């Protein structure tokens, strides 16, 4: 006898519940104390544009995560400028900011300007709680070099942290992504000794790894864990250059939205700029009306 598909059934239900958490993942802001980066890119303007577009969307994240290379040369004035752009925005959203070290950053200046701590040179790693979700940050920077590495003390600290599972699992954030580099020259700046990190995170409650560094969005698996790499808010890498080449460009800047569900995590790329509307624009109120007409809740994430 014929059957009725779920799509034909008037009593619809959502396949998935609304997300429990939402993080905004930014990376590689590369602020300079004055002038333009490479005499052509104004990282302050690009980040301000992105934040303005996020603000207009009405989204309300649980936290803003910046995965390193916050400044280009580690100047204290550049960190102060970054703080002046980001902190008022975060306060409007009532969301904490999680700062990470990158290979272009300097630990003493970052600690003093962004964390209000003594200007120490020790690696910067932290554990944050967003309700039952844990975010652990690791400092993969090596002073004076552009490759990444984790020393024995950092790995031992991480192992102790992960020995105590979090109720909703853990998101691990670091600057250098523990994945293969698809650009030839990038292997000079990759994260080294990745096997040691894999031994520690495998089988633990780490649900996702966030990273930056490469200046284009990317995804992979590491020790069975999804890896989500955010692009740069300052300038990006053109992956359509001749194979083996490398070219930065002032375009396609963006960030990632990280929606955390009870059973999975979804990362989505948002890019800078407004473009012509294609098809019908459906306003939020109309979207809610249509969902209500179908007997469904909207899953609105404008409030936590």
């Amino acid at each position: 006898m014929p059957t009725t598909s779920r799509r034909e059934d008037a009593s619809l239900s959502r396949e998935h519940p609304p997300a429990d958490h939402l993080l905004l993942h930014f990376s590689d802001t590369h602020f300079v104390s004055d002038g333009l980066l490479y005499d052509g890119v104004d990282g302050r303007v690009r980040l301000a544009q992105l934040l303005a577009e996020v603000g207009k969307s009405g989204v309300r994240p649980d936290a803003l995560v910046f995965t390193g290379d916050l400044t280009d040369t580690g100047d204290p004035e550049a960190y102060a400028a970054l703080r002046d752009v980001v902190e008022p925005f975060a306060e409007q959203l009532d969301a904490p900011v999680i700062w990470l070290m990158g290979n272009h950053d300097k630990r003493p200046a970052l600690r003093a300007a962004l964390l209000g701590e003594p200007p120490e040179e020790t690696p910067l790693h932290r554990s944050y709680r967003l309700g039952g979700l844990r975010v652990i940050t690791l400092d993969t920077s090596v002073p004076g070099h552009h490759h990444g590495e984790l020393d024995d003390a950092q790995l031992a600290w991480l192992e102790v942290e992960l020995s105590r599972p979090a109720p909703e699992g853990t998101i691990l954030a670091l600057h250098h992504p523990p994945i293969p580099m698809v650009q030839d020259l990038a292997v000079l700046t990759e994260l080294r000794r990745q096997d040691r990190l894999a031994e520690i995170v495998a089988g633990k409650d780490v649900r996702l790894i966030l990273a930056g560094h490469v200046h284009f969005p990317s995804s992979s698996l590491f020790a069975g864990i999804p890896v989500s790499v955010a692009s740069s808010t300052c300038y990006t890498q053109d992956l359509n250059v001749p194979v083996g080449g490398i070219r930065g460009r002032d375009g396609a800047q963006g960030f990632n939205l990280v929606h955390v569900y009870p059973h999975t995590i979804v990362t989505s790329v948002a890019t800078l700029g407004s473009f012509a509307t294609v098809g019908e624009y459906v306003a939020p109120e109309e979207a809610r009306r249509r969902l209500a007409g179908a007997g469904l809740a909207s899953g609105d994430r404008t409030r936590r």
Side-chain angles (χ1 to χ4, degrees):
M1 61 183 294
T3 59
T4 301
S5 70
R6 291 192 60 191
R7 297 305 177 194
E8 296 170 343
D9 192 341
S11 58
L12 298 177
S13 61
R14 298 178 65 95
E15 294 286 343
H16 305 281
D20 290 333
H21 302 278
L22 171 62
L23 309 181
L24 302 185
H25 175 201
F26 302 89
S27 197
D28 296 85
T29 50
H30 283 273
F31 269 40
V32 293
S33 56
D34 55 23
L36 303 177
L37 184 65
Y38 300 129
D39 295 324
V41 182
D42 193 330
R44 302 189 201 191
V45 170
R46 296 293 177 267
L47 179 60
Q49 289 175 325
L50 273 174
L51 296 183
E53 292 175 6
V54 173
K56 291 178 181 178
S57 75
V59 72
R60 291 295 182 267
D62 294 83
L64 282 62
V65 182
F66 285 77
T67 51
D69 277 3
L70 308 175
T71 68
D72 195 61
T73 59
D75 292 336
E77 296 82 2
Y79 288 112
L82 178 62
R83 183 191 62 224
D84 291 344
V85 170
V86 173
E87 288 191 350
F89 174 78
E91 289 174 2
Q92 291 177 6
L93 299 184
D94 189 26
V97 183
I98 298 176
W99 304 107
L100 275 75
M101 276 284 302
N103 52 284
H104 279 264
D105 291 307
K106 292 183 180 178
R107 293 167 181 164
L110 188 157
R111 286 179 183 274
L114 299 181
L115 303 178
E117 298 179 359
E120 298 176 354
E121 186 60 71
T122 54
L124 181 62
H125 47 262
R126 293 285 189 277
S127 180
Y128 302 85
R129 283 299 183 103
L130 304 173
L133 180 69
R134 176 171 56 185
V135 177
I136 292 179
T137 65
L138 288 177
D139 182 352
T140 55
S141 67
V142 181
H145 300 273
H146 289 297
H147 71 273
E149 196 166 334
L150 293 165
D151 62 29
D152 292 338
Q154 289 174 282
L155 292 169
W157 174 85
L158 177 63
E159 189 169 24
V160 171
E161 283 293 313
L162 293 179
S163 68
R164 301 182 292 268
E168 297 180 66
T170 296
I171 291 179
L172 183 64
L174 62 164
H175 180 65
H176 297 80
I179 63 176
M181 298 288 100
V182 299
Q183 292 180 304
D184 289 346
L185 272 177
V187 301
L188 300 175
T189 67
E190 66 186 348
L191 179 65
R192 299 180 182 176
R193 304 167 75 185
Q194 296 181 19
D195 57 330
R196 300 182 63 213
L197 177 62
E199 292 173 358
I200 292 175
V201 300
K204 303 299 193 303
D205 72 340
V206 180
R207 301 177 60 187
L208 178 69
I209 297 175
L210 300 179
H213 187 52
V214 296
H215 287 237
F216 57 86
S218 189
S219 61
S220 185
L221 286 175
F222 177 73
I225 302 167
V227 178
S228 177
V229 182
S231 186
S232 168
T233 66
C234 184
Y235 71 94
T236 66
Q237 287 295 329
D238 182 1
L239 296 183
N240 282 324
V241 296
V243 175
I246 187 169
R247 184 182 81 92
R249 60 183 177 176
D250 184 7
Q253 294 91 339
F255 69 99
N256 288 359
L257 297 106
V258 182
H259 288 85
V260 181
Y261 296 85
H263 57 292
T264 190
I265 299 179
V266 177
T267 61
S268 308
V269 178
T271 53
L272 175 67
S274 59
F275 308 92
T277 300
V278 175
E280 176 193 11
Y281 168 67
V282 180
E285 298 79 7
E286 174 61 15
R288 287 192 287 268
R289 188 191 69 78
R290 295 184 188 183
L291 286 170
L296 297 175
S298 68
D300 193 343
R301 273 293 301 170
T302 58
R303 284 193 186 0
R304 274 174 284 156

